[in-house]
Amino acid sequence: MAVIQHEEQVHVQEQPELTLGEAADQLAHSLPGHRVEILQGRLTVTPPADGTHALALSWLGEEFGARARKSGLRLVQGVGLWLPTGPEDYAIPDLSVVDADFRDHHAMKNCYAAHVFRMVVEVTSTNWADDLGPKVEDYAQAGIPVYVVADRKHDQVLLCTDPRGGEYKNKVHHKRGTSFTVPDVVGVEMKLSVDRLLDGDED
């Protein structure tokens, strides 16, 4: 008995290769609530933060926001910062102190030029290694005057200042039970409690 084999030709249309920026846009669209960034040419995705993380940012917003506004600045959450470390690199800090006219300095996508940022704050989550590694380098190269990391992984706050030559010349770790003064270069007078930055509002 003869067996007749029928071969069907299937034409597979090749999909064009996505750029890193296009891949980031697709991920952001398909994962609502997640933070998608490109750090040093690497795509990173961070899931939604927990309650303590949110309370720390809320406390900062309430306590710091009014003082920033009186100084002619703005306190914003989740605003993109265009980075000089790669052609498509950008970060989305948890919180930033920016010049009041920052919207006049739009770079690309929902990101703004680095020179309008006075201070950025990150509260660590599952992506703590990015906050303490690539972002320290990236923000220094971008010339961000002050970078504050509420490092919940190691139960301390890292204060980075004086970005020169692509690195922060001053890095100081602050322990629980202490506070530190916001550097003058930010333009806002205030002391920040390490415990509040790590734990959020006490109420």
Side-chain angles (χ1 to χ4, degrees), residues 132-174:
L132 296 172
K135 285 190 176 182
V136 175
E137 299 169 3
D138 293 350
Y139 293 155
Q141 289 185 41
I144 307 303
V146 178
Y147 176 34
V148 177
V149 187
D151 179 7
R152 299 191 296 167
K153 174 71 175 178
H154 302 101
D155 211 31
Q156 61 187 358
V157 171
L158 172 63
L159 174 64
C160 301
T161 59
D162 192 14
R164 281 183 291 139
E167 63 180 351
Y168 283 110
K169 298 301 181 181
N170 296 322
K171 298 177 188 173
V172 181
H173 293 90
H174 295 276

Side-chain angles (χ1 to χ4, degrees), residues 67-85:
R67 297 180 190 226
R69 196 172 185 89
K70 285 180 182 177
S71 300
L73 303 169
R74 293 293 183 271
L75 194 71
V76 293
Q77 292 189 32
V79 169
L81 163 58
W82 200 252
L83 297 169
T85 50

Side-chain angles (χ1 to χ4, degrees), residues 17-53:
E17 189 172 323
L18 295 177
T19 66
L20 205 53
E22 291 168 341
D25 291 342
Q26 281 194 9
L27 275 174
H29 181 72
S30 61
L31 296 171
H34 290 63
R35 180 170 53 174
V36 179
E37 301 168 295
I38 301 176
L39 305 175
Q40 299 178 4
R42 179 174 55 89
L43 192 59
T44 70
V45 179
T46 306
D50 61 23
T52 301
H53 184 287

Side-chain angles (χ1 to χ4, degrees), residues 9 11 25-26 40 57 63 67 84 89 118 145 164 195:
Q9 283 192 329
H11 295 282
D25 291 342
Q26 281 194 9
Q40 299 178 4
L57 295 179
E63 297 293 321
R67 297 180 190 226
D89 284 6
R118 301 283 188 92
R164 281 183 291 139
D195 289 3

